[in-house]
Amino acid sequence: MGGIASVLSILGWLGLSNAGELKDLLVDSRSSSSSSVPYTSSPTGRIPDDSATGAGSADEPEPDPERSTPAPDPTEKRFEAISVGDCLAVYDTGRGGTSVDWSVGAPPDPVSCAGEQAQVQVTSINTDCPTSYGKSYWSYRSATTGDSTKLCLTRVYHANYCILGRQSGDSISLALMTAVACRREPVPVPYNQIMHITGVYRAPAGADANDCRRVAGDQTRYWAALVNDGATLLCTTIYQGS
């Protein structure tokens, strides 16, 4: 009887009239405690990617400096060694037709500008080069570094040397950057004449081929050109030697 009294006392304290209501209360309580609640995961800490920051793994090999550094380009070095004012024993062979075909693949060592070996003089480097009479340029782009070097050149003329010419009727166009041996031999197309330089003079006002006569009554046929921006008169005649 004491246990029943205790139960009834608890029911009264809970405000319930019988044990069935207590059972229903306990069932509702269990249902509420087990109901699902939306789960939100906490952010996962992201481990920095070493490859993105440039930090290498301890297991990665160090870069090989011999593989990462390109081999030197000897031709590029030859071009870079040339300075403004240098004279070179370089000329157009004429074998390129209307395009310049330089006599060597890379600049040789400079020579004295006062000597007869000098064929061109470097007037500027890596600039826009003039291409008027007796002027041209020589450029090189390295396949190794991708860099380009451009030499602006002015032709240096010497009396008694020979250049190539292209004759059509009485007119002869002088290939002013060329040089050729003074002897009768086949010449590269499109040229058909070897022209002998008879004189290199300071050009007088209004200079033309008549100013090339070397003696009074000279009946030689001359073909002339004004070079060095008109400051120099270049006189030539068709080579008549053997």
Side-chain angles (χ1 to χ4, degrees):
M1 292 295 293
I4 295 173
S6 297
V7 170
L8 291 175
S9 177
I10 293 170
L11 291 173
W13 181 74
L14 293 172
L16 302 174
S17 60
N18 55 55
E21 290 180 352
L22 175 61
K23 180 179 179 181
D24 292 340
L25 176 63
L26 294 174
V27 171
D28 290 343
S29 176
R30 285 195 300 269
S31 299
S32 299
S33 63
S34 63
S35 62
S36 62
V37 177
Y39 172 75
T40 303
S41 62
S42 60
T44 301
R46 185 174 183 275
I47 300 175
D49 185 356
D50 287 343
S51 64
T53 61
S57 169
D59 296 331
E60 293 179 357
E62 291 294 326
D64 185 350
E66 293 185 357
R67 293 187 177 182
S68 59
T69 303
D73 183 341
T75 301
E76 181 180 40
K77 294 299 183 184
R78 298 298 302 174
F79 272 85
E80 292 176 342
I82 300 303
S83 301
V84 173
D86 285 347
C87 286
L88 307 173
V90 174
Y91 55 89
D92 177 14
T93 66
R95 291 192 292 267
T98 56
S99 299
V100 174
D101 175 60
W102 296 111
S103 54
V104 292
D109 292 337
V111 297
S112 171
C113 292
E116 291 191 352
Q117 284 185 308
Q119 299 297 316
V120 294
Q121 184 172 29
V122 180
T123 55
S124 59
I125 297 175
N126 293 335
T127 61
D128 291 333
C129 301
T131 56
S132 58
Y133 291 145
K135 296 184 179 183
S136 189
Y137 63 89
W138 191 8
S139 60
Y140 177 77
R141 184 178 186 275
S142 173
T144 301
T145 65
D147 296 333
S148 297
T149 307
K150 187 177 185 181
L151 308 179
C152 301
L153 305 175
T154 294
R155 184 74 161 82
V156 178
Y157 299 100
H158 305 283
N160 298 318
Y161 276 51
C162 288
I163 62 175
L164 293 171
R166 182 178 183 181
Q167 183 171 15
S168 177
D170 288 336
S171 175
I172 297 180
S173 299
L174 302 176
L176 294 170
M177 298 302 295
T178 64
V180 65
C182 294
R183 57 175 179 261
R184 299 307 305 179
E185 61 181 14
V187 297
V189 176
Y191 306 106
N192 53 16
Q193 289 292 359
I194 295 174
M195 306 301 294
H196 183 228
I197 299 174
T198 59
V200 183
Y201 310 110
R202 179 179 295 178
D208 59 22
N210 291 322
D211 295 298
C212 292
R213 296 190 177 97
R214 289 168 283 182
V215 293
D218 187 356
Q219 298 299 312
T220 305
R221 179 71 185 273
Y222 293 99
W223 287 264
L226 290 172
V227 296
N228 295 333
D229 299 322
T232 302
L233 176 65
L234 180 71
C235 297
T236 71
T237 187
I238 295 175
Y239 180 70
Q240 302 293 338
S242 58

